[in-house]
Amino acid sequence: MVVEQTQQITELNAKLSGGFKIAVVPVEKLEFLEKNARFMKNETFQNLVANIKKDGGLSQLPFCYLQENGKYKVLSGNHRSQAAISAGLTEIPPFIPTKSFQRMSNWPFS
């Protein structure tokens, strides 16, 4: 099963353009934003957790970048990623940039 999933991700990555790829990241390597621009009620969050449990994974992928410390900063999809952890997932498949972002240190959420 893992080999099949790895092959599927490799095939998807070959079709992606624009300097991004899909990776499989252990949840302990995720780092979340200190401030989230969006507010989510607990009831809505719990519904998201239940949906992830029912579906067995995420239906939309978060966007992360790999930091120098080896952790992946979640730039988009913080609630989804946290709900995935609450649902018991041990890995998530985020989009990550394959090109260096020189100006990331100037981003307001870095």
Side-chain angles (χ1 to χ4, degrees):
M1 179 96 164
V2 172
V3 173
E4 182 180 317
Q5 289 175 336
T6 302
Q7 183 178 357
Q8 289 173 339
I9 290 173
T10 301
E11 290 171 7
L12 282 171
N13 283 335
K15 295 177 183 179
L16 289 175
S17 62
F20 301 97
K21 70 176 184 177
I22 298 171
V24 177
V25 176
V27 296
E28 59 271 4
K29 286 194 165 199
L30 296 177
E31 197 170 273
F32 297 97
L33 299 176
E34 289 182 30
K35 295 180 183 178
N36 195 330
R38 303 211 183 259
F39 172 79
M40 182 178 282
K41 292 181 182 179
N42 186 49
E43 179 182 352
T44 305
F45 182 80
Q46 293 307 320
N47 285 337
L48 182 57
V49 171
N51 285 339
I52 292 170
K53 283 181 180 179
K54 183 181 77 171
D55 296 342
L58 295 170
S59 59
Q60 294 181 339
L61 305 182
F63 178 73
C64 302
Y65 77 92
L66 180 59
Q67 303 174 102
E68 289 181 12
N69 66 5
K71 299 244 180 186
Y72 290 81
K73 177 75 89 170
V74 181
L75 300 178
S76 177
N78 278 268
H79 290 121
R80 276 176 276 150
S81 299
Q82 290 172 340
I85 293 169
S86 293
L89 297 185
T90 58
E91 299 175 323
I92 64 162
F95 281 110
I96 58 170
T98 57
K99 296 180 181 178
S100 175
F101 286 139
Q102 297 294 326
R103 297 190 304 163
M104 267 195 180
S105 61
N106 297 332
W107 288 17
F109 40 72
S110 337

